[in-house]
C-alpha cells in the first residue's frame, strides 16, 4: 500500500449526485437572501465611520475574532466554544477540499494530505464538535445558568449540529466497512463506527443505510445553512464583522455628540436613528449573557439587562425588517408611504425607562462582550431621548440637573463653596495670579472633591503632595464648573455641551495645557470628550501624577506605613472611569505599593473586570431601594478580602463605598480612603496630617 | 382662559453660608460668586399654571411677567422653556431693592397694559414669598392694586364648575375654595407642583417665543415716585447673626452634670422659638 | 393721640399667639403713649372676649353672621371696618401668625394706606415710624425694616412675645354690625384631618435618630424626648433602610430637606448626604459616642456619650424644665 496514493471516492454509493447541486442553489439563495435582508437593514442606519484604521482593525480581528480572545475568558464556555468553533473551521475546510478535488482538475485529496488532514484531523475535529456541543447541552439543559437565554432555537441549534456530526461519522463508518477501506485507521472515529457496525449489520444493510443517512445528512446540512442568517448562528458571520468594525477608542470616548441645530430628535427612540453599526450590533449578539452576568445593576436585582436590551432591539428590528426597512424619517424605503415609527423604549420590554435609568455606565458589559457589542452608549442614547424629549427621569437626577443648571455643580444644598477646602493652604487661583502661565499644571478639583465634606480631605492631600513635590500648580477656584459628566451620563447632552464649552473657554483664557484631577469622571471628560469641543489637554489622574512624582524622586514614599501600627492590608477598588474607560490600572497600585509595608490584596473582581461602586451614570444622585444597592454588593466584596483599608481613586467611589462599607463592615474597623490621603498619611511631615 | 404668572429673580438661596456676605452700603446681600435663579415659589406658580392648562378642556394661555434687571430674562426664558406661552419683562432701571408696594404698583400697571393689548387675565399667580428677603407682601398688595379677590398659600388650580377650584394649605389643614375669575392667588409648594425640567427642544424653542420688554416710562410710571413716593418700607439695617461654629461639648465630672448642661441649652433654644 | 390695635380672628379665640400679639401691642402702646385696642373679626367665645377685655383698653367686636365661617374677602372687609370703628387712629395694627392673618395683613395695609410687614420677631417705635426685625435670606441674615406709613400692619412671630399683662380694669367691649359683600372666592371645604402632625420641613424642632440606635425600640425613647420639647421626629437613611422607622422620616439630600430652629441628631454620624438635608438648621445638637463623628463639625453643642445614658435623663430634665 502506497500512502502517496491514498484517497477515497467522492460520492461513493451515491446516485443522482446532480441533485446535490440542484439543492445547493436554493440553499445558497436563501442563505444569501437572509444576509442580504440583514445588510439592507443595517444600511438603513445612520452613517458612522468604522472602516478606517484597517491595521488596528485587523489586529483586533485576529485577536478577538480569529483568536477568540474574549470568548475564552470564561473557562467552560471558552472550552466548548473553541471545540465547536475550530471543528467547524476544519470541517468547512474539508468540505472545500472535497469540492476542489471533485469539481476542479486539482485532485488534491490524496496521499499524506488525505490521510493526515482529510482523514485524521477532520475526524478529531469532528469529535471536538460533538464533545463541544455535548458540553453546551449539559450547560443548557442540566446546569442551566442564569445568564443564558432559553429559546427553542438555541436547543435546535445544538441538536442539529450534533446530528450533522453524528451522521457524518455514520456515513464515513459504513463507507469504511463496506469498502474495507485500507486507510481506515486514519479515520479513527469513522473506523470505530465501522467496527461497531460490522458484526451487527450486513454490507447490504450498511449500504442502504449509507444512502439514506447520506441524503439525510445533506438535507440537514443544507437546511441548516439556509437557516443560519435567520438564527443566532448568524453570529458566525456577524460577530467577526462586528469585531472588525468595533470601537477602537476605548469606552471613555464612546458617546457621540449631537448637533442641536440640525437634529430632528435628541437621543434615540427609533431604530432608524441608530447608526448602521448599532444595528449590526443587534444582529451580532450571541446570546451568551455575559454582559448581563457582569452588570452591577442586574447583579443586585434591578431590571436592567444589557443582553435583553440588545435582544429586544434585535427582535424589534427583525419584526420591522423583513419587508420594511427601518428608516428614521418614517420612510419605508420603497418610497411607498409613511410607516409608523415603533418606539424602542417600551415599558413591556427590557428597554424600559426603569431599566435604562439603572445603568451606572460602568462599561462592564462592553468589556465582557465577546463580540464587542456596545451596549452602554445605546442606553445613554435612549436616556437622551427620555431626558431631552420627554423630560422623564428619576427624581434624584432632577435635583442634580437643576443644580447643574443654576449652580454648575450637582450637589444641591452643599454647605461649601469651591474654595473652602483651600483654607490654610496658600493655593494659587488662576484668576488672582499675575501670570497664570506660571502654573505648569491646573489642578482640577472637581465638584465631588470641593463640595462634599468627605472628599475635601482627598483634594487637600493632593494639593499638599503637589506642594511638597514643588509642583507649580494653580486651581480655577470659583471659575471651575462641573465638567458635565453627570449630565452627559444621564442623557442631558444639551447641559453637558453647555458646561463643556464654558470650561473649555475658561481654560483657554488661562492657556491651560496640563491638567491633574482626582476625579476619574473629570479625567475622562477632559481626556476623551473635551477634544470634541476644542479642548485638548495633557490629562493626569492624580494617582498617575503622584506615581510619576514618586518615580522621579520628587516625592519620597519609602519607609512610611499606612497606618500607625504599620500593618495595613489594602484593597484597591478600580474606578470604572479610570480603569475600564481609560485603561489605567497600574498607577494607583504602584502608588500603594510604595506605601511602606502595607499589604495589597485584590478583590475577586478587579482591574478590567472590576465591579462598579454604583455611583456612575448619575446613580450617585438616586436613592436605590435598600435591597438593590450596588455599593453594598461591592463593599461586601471589599470587606471580604479582609482588608482594613479600602483604597479608592474617585470621590464618587469614596462616598458610595463609605456608605456601603459602614453598612457591611460589622464590628471590624474598615476605612475607605483615597490613594492621595493614604500617600499623604505616609509622606506628610508630622503635624501636617490632612485635617 | 388666560393666566398670568409673576416671577422674581433672586440671589441663589442655596449659596453656602460661608459665602454669604452683606454689602453694608447697599444694605443687601453681596452677589459675590453666587448665581441668580428664579424664586422657587414663582417656579411652583409656573408649574401650577401649566398643570391647570393640562387639566383644562378649554384653551389656556399663560403669560409670565417679571419686574427685574435685564438678567431676569433668563427666568422668563426658563418659564417659556417650561412651556409658558409668552413673557414680559419690565426693566427695573437701577432701583435695586424696590419694596413690595413698588413692585405691586409696577406689576399692576404692567398687567393692565397687557390686558389692554390682549384681554383680561382670569387668574394672576404670585409666589407666596421670595427666597431672598422673604417678606411675602407682594401678592396681597398686587391683589389690592388690581382690585381682585385673592387667596393665599394655594397649591393647585383645577377647572371647576363655572369657575376655578383652588386647594390651599393652612395651619389647620387643606382648604378647598371656588373662585370666579378674575382673581389672584399666591402659590406655595407641595409635592405635586415641583417645577418640571424643560425638554431640551422646549429650551431651544423658548428663544423663539415672544418676550416683550417694557420700561417704566412705557407704563407711564414715574420711576422716582415709585422709588420714594409710594415706598412703604425700607431696610434700615441688615446683618449676619453671629453663628456658633465651634461645637461646645458638654463638660462636667458626672454624667448628670453634662446632661444637665445639654438640657439647659436645648431648653434655651426651644423656649426662644415660642 | 396714637393707639395700637391688635387684630384677632374671633374663631381662633385668645390663644397663645393672640396673647403674644397683644403683649407686643401693649408694649408698643406704652412706648407711644397710646391705648391698646383689640379688633375682633367675627363672634368670639365669652371667655376670649373677657380675656381680651382684661388686657386691652378697648375691645371692638365686628358682628355679622357670615363671619362665623372664615372667608378672606369678608374678613378683610371686616378688619377695615373695625379699624374705622375703633377710631382709625392707629400707629400699628398687629396680627398673629396664623395663615388667615398672614393672608389679610398686606391687603389691610393697602386699604388703610399704611405699611405692611411680615413675620416680625421684634418691633419698636422710632418717631413716626415703626421698626420691625425679621430674618432674611433664608435665615442667613437678620434685617430691620423701617415702616414708613401709618398704620403699620404687621403680623408677628407671635408666640415669641410675652403675653399681654392684665390691666387693672377691663376695657369696654362694643359690638358693631358690619355690612359685608358676598365673597368672590369662597372657601367651600376643609380637610382638617388630612395632615398628621407638622410636615418635617415646617417643624421648628426635629429629633432625629440614626444607625447607632441599633433598632426600632429606641425611637420610642426619642419620641418621649421629642414630646417633651414639641419636636417632630426624623431619621437618617440608615435607620430608615433598616426598617426601624418609615421611609418618609428620612432627612437628607434625597428626602426631607429641613431647616428647623433646632435639630437634634442622635447616633447619626453626619454623612454628607445627611448634612445636605439638615445643614440649614439654625442650631444643631448632637449626641454621639464618637467625638470624631463629622456631625460635631456642624453643631453648636453636643455631648460625647452613649445615647442610652443620655436620652432618658435628658427627657426627664426637659420635662421638668417645661413645667
Ligand atoms: C446616593 C446616596 C444618597 C444618600 N442619601 C441620604 C439621605 O438622604 N439621608 C441620609 O441620612 N443618608 C443618606 N445616605 C446615606 C449616608 O451616606 C449614610 O450612610 C447614612 O446617613 C448614615 O446614617 P447614620 O449616620 O445613621 O449611620 P452611621 O454613619 O453608621 O453612624 C452611626 C453613628 O452612631 C454613633 N453611635 C453608635 N452607637 C452609639 C450610641 N450607643 N450612642 C450614641 N451614638 C452612637 C456612631 O458613632 C456613628 O457616628 C445616602 C447615601 C448614598 C450613597
Ligand atoms: S454599563 Fe454597567 S450598569 Fe450599564 S448595562 Fe453595562 S454593565 Fe450594566
Ligand atoms: S451583547 Fe455581547 S455579551 Fe451580551 S449577550 Fe450579546 S454577545 Fe453576549
Amino acid at each position: 500500500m502506497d500512502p502517496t496514493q491514498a484517497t477515497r471516492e467522492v460520492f461513493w454509493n451515491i446516485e443522482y449526485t446532480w441533485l446535490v447541486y440542484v439543492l445547493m442553489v436554493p440553499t445558497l439563495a436563501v442563505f444569501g437572501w437572509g444576509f442580504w435582508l440583514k445588510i439592507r437593514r443595517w444600511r438603513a442606519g445612520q452613517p458612522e465611520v468604522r472602516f478606517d484604521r484597517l491595521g488596528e482593525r485587523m489586529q483586533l480581528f485576529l485577536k478577538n475574532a480569529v483568536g477568540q480572545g474574549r470568548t475564552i475568558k470564561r473557562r467552560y464556555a471558552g472550552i466548548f466554544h473553541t471545540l465547536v468553533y475550530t471543528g467547524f473551521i476544519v470541517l468547512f475546510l474539508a468540505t472545500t477540499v472535497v469540492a476542489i478535488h471533485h469539481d476542479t482538475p486539482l485532485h488534491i485529496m490524496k496521499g499524506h494530505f488525505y490521510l493526515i488532514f482529510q482523514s485524521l484531523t477532520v475526524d478529531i475535529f469532528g469529535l471536538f464538535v460533538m464533545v463541544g456541543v455535548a458540553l453546551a447541552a449539559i450547560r443548557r439543559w442540566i446546569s442551566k445558568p442564569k445568564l443564558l437565554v432559553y429559546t427553542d432555537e438555541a436547543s435546535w441549534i445544538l441538536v442539529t449540529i450534533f446530528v450533522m456530526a453524528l451522521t457524518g461519522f455514520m456515513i464515513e463508518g459504513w463507507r469504511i466497512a463496506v469498502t474495507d477501506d485500507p486507510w481506515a485507521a486514519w479515520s479513527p472515529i469513522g473506523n470505530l463506527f465501522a467496527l461497531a457496525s460490522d458484526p451487527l449489520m450486513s454490507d447490504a444493510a450498511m449500504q442502504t443505510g449509507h444512502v439514506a443517512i447520506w441524503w439525510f445528512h445533506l438535507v440537514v446540512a443544507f437546511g441548516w445553512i439556509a437557516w443560519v442568517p435567520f438564527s443566532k448562528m448568524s453570529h458566525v458571520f456577524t460577530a467577526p464583522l462586528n469585531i472588525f468594525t468595533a470601537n477602537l477608542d476605548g469606552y471613555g470616548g464612546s458617546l457621540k455628540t449631537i448637533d442641536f441645530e440640525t437634529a430632528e430628535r435628541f437621543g434615540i427612540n427609533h431604530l432608524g436613528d441608530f447608526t448602521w453599526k448599532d444595528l449590526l450590533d443587534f444582529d451580532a449578539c450571541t446570546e451568551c449573557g455575559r454582559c448581563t452576568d457582569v452588570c452591577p445593576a442586574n447583579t443586585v436585582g434591578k431590571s436592567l439587562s444589557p443582553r435583553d436590551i440588545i435582544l429586544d432591539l434585535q427582535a424589534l428590528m427583525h419584526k420591522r425588517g423583513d419587508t420594511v426597512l427601518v428608516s428614521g424619517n418614517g420612510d419605508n424605503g420603497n418610497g411607498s408611504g409613511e410607516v409608523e415609527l415603533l418606539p424602542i423604549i417600551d415599558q413591556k420590554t427590557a428597554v424600559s425607562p426603569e431599566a435604562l435609568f439603572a445603568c451606572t455606565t460602568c462599561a462592564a458589559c462592553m468589556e465582557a462582550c465577546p463580540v464587542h457589542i456596545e451596549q452602554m452608549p445605546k442606553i445613554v442614547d435612549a436616556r437622551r431621548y427620555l431626558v431631552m424629549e420627554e423630560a422623564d427621569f428619576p427624581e434624584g437626577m432632577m435635583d442634580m440637573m437643576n443644580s447643574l443648571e443654576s449652580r454648575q455643580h450637582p450637589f444641591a444644598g452643599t454647605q461649601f463653596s469651591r474654595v473652602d477646602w483651600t483654607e490654610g493652604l496658600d493655593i494659587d487661583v488662576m484668576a488672582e495670579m499675575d501670570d497664570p502661565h506660571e502654573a505648569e499644571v491646573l489642578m482640577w478639583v472637581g465638584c465631588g472633591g470641593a463640595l462634599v465634606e468627605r472628599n475635601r480631605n482627598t483634594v487637600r492631600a493632593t494639593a499638599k503632595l503637589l506642594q511638597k513635590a514643588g509642583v507649580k500648580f494653580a486651581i480655577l477656584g470659583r471659575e471651575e464648573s462641573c465638567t458635565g459628566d453627570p449630565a452627559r451620563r444621564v442623557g442631558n447632552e444639551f447641559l453637558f455641551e453647555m458646561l463643556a464649552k464654558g470650561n473649555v473657554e475658561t481654560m483657554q483664557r488661562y492657556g491651560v495645557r496640563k491638567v491633574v484631577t482626582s476625579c476619574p469622571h473629570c479625567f475622562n471628560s477632559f481626556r476623551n470628550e473635551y477634544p470634541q469641543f476644542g479642548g485638548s489637554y495633557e490629562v493626569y489622574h492624580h494617582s498617575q501624577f503622584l506615581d510619576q512624582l514618586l518615580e522621579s524622586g520628587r516625592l519620597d514614599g519609602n519607609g512610611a506605613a499606612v497606618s500607625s501600627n504599620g500593618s495595613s492590608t489594602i484593597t484597591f477598588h478600580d474606578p470604572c472611569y479610570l480603569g475600564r474607560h481609560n485603561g489605567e490600572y497600574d498607577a494607583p497600585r504602584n502608588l500603594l505599593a510604595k506605601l511602606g509595608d502595607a499589604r495589597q490584596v485584590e478583590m475577586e473582581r478587579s482591574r478590567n473586570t472590576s465591579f462598579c461602586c454604583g455611583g456612575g451614570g448619575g446613580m450617585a444622585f438616586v436613592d436605590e431601594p435598600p435591597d438593590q444597592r450596588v455599593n453594598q454588593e461591592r463593599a461586601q466584596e471589599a470587606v471580604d478580602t479582609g482588608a482594613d483599608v479600602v483604597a479608592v481613586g474617585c470621590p464618587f467611589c469614596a462616598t458610595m463605598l463609605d456608605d456601603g462599607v459602614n453598612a457591611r463592615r460589622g464590628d471590624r474597623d474598615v476605612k475607605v480612603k483615597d490613594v492621595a490621603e493614604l500617600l499623604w498619611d505616609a509622606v506628610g511631615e508630622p503635624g501636617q496630617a490632612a485635617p | 382662559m388666560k393666566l398670568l404668572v409673576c416671577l422674581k429673580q433672586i440671589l441663589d438661596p442655596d449659596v453656602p453660608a460661608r459665602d454669604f456676605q452683606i454689602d453694608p452700603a447697599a444694605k443687601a446681600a453681596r452677589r459675590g460668586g453666587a448665581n441668580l435663579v428664579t424664586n422657587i415659589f414663582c417656579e411652583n406658580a409656573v408649574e401650577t399654571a401649566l398643570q391647570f392648562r393640562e387639566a383644562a378642556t378649554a384653551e389656556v394661555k399663560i403669560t409670565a411677567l417679571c419686574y427685574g434687571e435685564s438678567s431676569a430674562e433668563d427666568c422668563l426664558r426658563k418659564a417659556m422653556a417650561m412651556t409658558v406661552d409668552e413673557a414680559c419683562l419690565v426693566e427695573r432701571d437701577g432701583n435695586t431693592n424696590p419694596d413690595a408696594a413698588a413692585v405691586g404698583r409696577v406689576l399692576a400697571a404692567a398687567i393692565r397694559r397687557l390686558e389692554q393689548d390682549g384681554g383680561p387675565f382670569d387668574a394672576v399667580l404670585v409666589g407666596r414669598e421670595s427666597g431672598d428677603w422673604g417678606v411675602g407682601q407682594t401678592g396681597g398688595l398686587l391683589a389690592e392694586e388690581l382690585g381682585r379677590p385673592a387667596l393665599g398659600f394655594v397649591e393647585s388650580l383645577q377647572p371647576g364648575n363655572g369657575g376655578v377650584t383652588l386647594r390651599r394649605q393652612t395651619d389647620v389643614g387643606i382648604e378647598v375654595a371656588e373662585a370666579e375669575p378674575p382673581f389672584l392667588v399666591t402659590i406655595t409648594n407641595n409635592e405635586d407642583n415641583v417645577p418640571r425640567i424643560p425638554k431640551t427642544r422646549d429650551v431651544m424653542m423658548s428663544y423663539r417665543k415672544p418676550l416683550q420688554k417694557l420700561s417704566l416710562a412705557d407704563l407711564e410710571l414715574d420711576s422716582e415716585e415709585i422709588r420714594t413716593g409710594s415706598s412703604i418700607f425700607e431696610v434700615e439695617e441688615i446683618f449676619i447673626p453671629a453663628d456658633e461654629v465651634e461645637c461646645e461639648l458638654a463638660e462636667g465630672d458626672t454624667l448628670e452634670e453634662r446632661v444637665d448642661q445639654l438640657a439647659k441649652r436645648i431648653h434655651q433654644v426651644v423656649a426662644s422659638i415660642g | 393721640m396714637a393707639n395700637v390695635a391688635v387684630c384677632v380672628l374671633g374663631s381662633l379665640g385668645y390663644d397663645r399667639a393672640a396673647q403674644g400679639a397683644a403683649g407686643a401691642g401693649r408694649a408698643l402702646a406704652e412706648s407711644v403713649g397710646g391705648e391698646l385696642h383689640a379688633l375682633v373679626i367675627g363672634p368670639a367665645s365669652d371667655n376670649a372676649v373677657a380675656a381680651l377685655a382684661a388686657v386691652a383698653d378697648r375691645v371692638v367686636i365686628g358682628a355679622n353672621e357670615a363671619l362665623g365661617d372664615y372667608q378672606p374677602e369678608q374678613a378683610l372687609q371686616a378688619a377695615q371696618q373695625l379699624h374705622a370703628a375703633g377710631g382709625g387712629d392707629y400707629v400699628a395694627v398687629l396680627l398673629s401668625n396664623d395663615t388667615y392673618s398672614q393672608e389679610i395683613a398686606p391687603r389691610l395695609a393697602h386699604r388703610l394706606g399704611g405699611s405692611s410687614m411680615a413675620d416680625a420677631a421684634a418691633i419698636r417705635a422710632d418717631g413716626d415710624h415703626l421698626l420691625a426685625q425679621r430674618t432674611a435670606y433664608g435665615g442667613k441674615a437678620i434685617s430691620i425694616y423701617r415702616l414708613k406709613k401709618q398704620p403699620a400692619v404687621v403680623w408677628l412671630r407671635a408666640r415669641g412675645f410675652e403675653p399681654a399683662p392684665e390691666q387693672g380694669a377691663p376695657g369696654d367691649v362694643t359690638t358693631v354690625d358690619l355690612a359685608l359683600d358676598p365673597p368672590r372666592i369662597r372657601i367651600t371645604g376643609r380637610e382638617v384631618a388630612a395632615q398628621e402632625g407638622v410636615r418635617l420641613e415646617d417643624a421648628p424642632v426635629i429629633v432625629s435618630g440614626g444607625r447607632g440606635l441599633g433598632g426600632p425600640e429606641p425611637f420610642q425613647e426619642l419620641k418621649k424626648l421629642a414630646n417633651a420639647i414639641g419636636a417632630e421626629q426624623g431619621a437618617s437613611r440608615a435607620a430608615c433602610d433598616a426598617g426601624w422607622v418609615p421611609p418618609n422620616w428620612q432627612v437628607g439630600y434625597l428626602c426631607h430637606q429641613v431647616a428647623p430652629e433646632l435639630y437634634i441628631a442622635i447616633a447619626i454620624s453626619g454623612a454628607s448626604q445627611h448634612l445636605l438635608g439638615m445643614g440649614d438648621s439654625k442650631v444643631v445638637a448632637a449626641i454621639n459616642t464618637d467625638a470624631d463623628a463629622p456631625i460635631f463639625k456642624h453643631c453648636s453643642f453636643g455631648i460625647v456619650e452613649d445615647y442610652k445614658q443620655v436620652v432618658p435623663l435628658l427627657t426627664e430634665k426637659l420635662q421638668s424644665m417645661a413645667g
Side-chain angles (χ1 to χ4, degrees), chain C residues 77-103:
Chain C
Q77 239 183 346
Q80 190 181 0
Q81 289 173 31
L82 282 168
H83 177 267
D89 179 25
Y90 297 113
V91 284
V93 177
L94 305 178
L95 298 97
S96 57
N97 51 348
D98 56 277
T99 319
Y100 300 153
S101 299
Q102 289 185 25
E103 139 178 86

Side-chain angles (χ1 to χ4, degrees), chain C residues 130-263:
Chain C
L130 202 68
L131 296 179
Q133 178 180 314
R134 64 189 306 279
T135 59
Y137 293 101
K140 292 195 183 85
I142 290 176
S143 53
I144 298 174
Y145 282 95
R146 176 172 293 277
L147 308 184
K148 299 191 285 189
K149 301 237 158 113
Q150 284 194 359
V153 182
V154 181
W155 66 264
L156 305 164
R157 188 169 281 219
R159 288 180 180 77
F161 292 87
E162 290 296 316
E166 291 194 8
Q167 301 301 105
D172 54 284
V173 179
T174 42
T175 302
V176 290
D177 283 327
L178 306 177
L180 303 175
D181 300 325
R184 282 177 293 160
I185 292 183
R186 175 177 287 281
I187 294 170
T188 54
R190 294 196 166 85
E191 301 165 17
V192 179
Q195 236 161 323
E196 192 190 311
V198 188
R199 292 188 325 144
L200 219 43
E201 278 85 348
D202 297 334
V205 186
I206 297 174
V207 173
S208 276
R211 173 152 42 213
L213 294 180
E217 301 81 20
F219 277 94
Q220 293 307 317
E221 278 299 316
L222 265 53
K223 188 182 171 77
K224 286 186 206 146
L225 171 62
N227 287 342
I229 52 177
E232 294 297 315
Q233 278 189 275
S236 75
R237 191 172 83 166
C240 296
D241 284 356
W244 300 340
V245 291
N248 64 358
W249 284 33
Q250 180 177 325
V251 172
Y253 172 58
L254 298 160
C255 213
H256 297 289
Q257 299 193 12
V258 300
E261 301 291 329
L262 174 62
Y263 187 87

Side-chain angles (χ1 to χ4, degrees), chain A residues 12-45:
Chain A
W12 170 84
N13 194 33
I14 301 299
E15 293 174 326
Y16 312 112
T17 53
W18 51 270
L19 202 53
V20 174
Y21 299 93
V22 170
L23 287 175
M24 197 186 290
V25 175
T27 302
L28 292 181
V30 173
F31 178 87
W33 175 65
F35 274 103
W36 178 76
L37 278 182
K38 280 197 186 320
I39 293 167
R40 199 176 68 148
R41 272 182 229 129
W42 302 336
R43 288 173 54 91

Side-chain angles (χ1 to χ4, degrees), chain A residues 534-553:
Chain A
S536 291
Y537 318 97
E538 200 184 313
V539 196
Y540 297 90
H541 183 243
H542 70 323
S543 68
Q544 298 174 318
F545 202 80
L546 294 172
D547 184 40
Q548 281 186 9
L549 292 176
L550 284 167
E551 276 307 316
S552 63

Side-chain angles (χ1 to χ4, degrees), chain A residues 620 622 631 656 659 662, chain C residues 210-212 236-238 250-254 267-271 273-274 287-290 293 305-308:
Chain A
V622 178
N631 64 338
M656 297 304 289
D659 173 56
N662 278 339
Chain C
R211 173 152 42 213
S236 75
R237 191 172 83 166
Q250 180 177 325
V251 172
Y253 172 58
L254 298 160
I268 289 180
S269 64
Q273 295 94 345
H274 191 80
I287 303 174
N288 199 305
T289 40
D290 177 6
E305 206 86 56
D306 191 331
Y307 82 89
K308 292 188 212 88

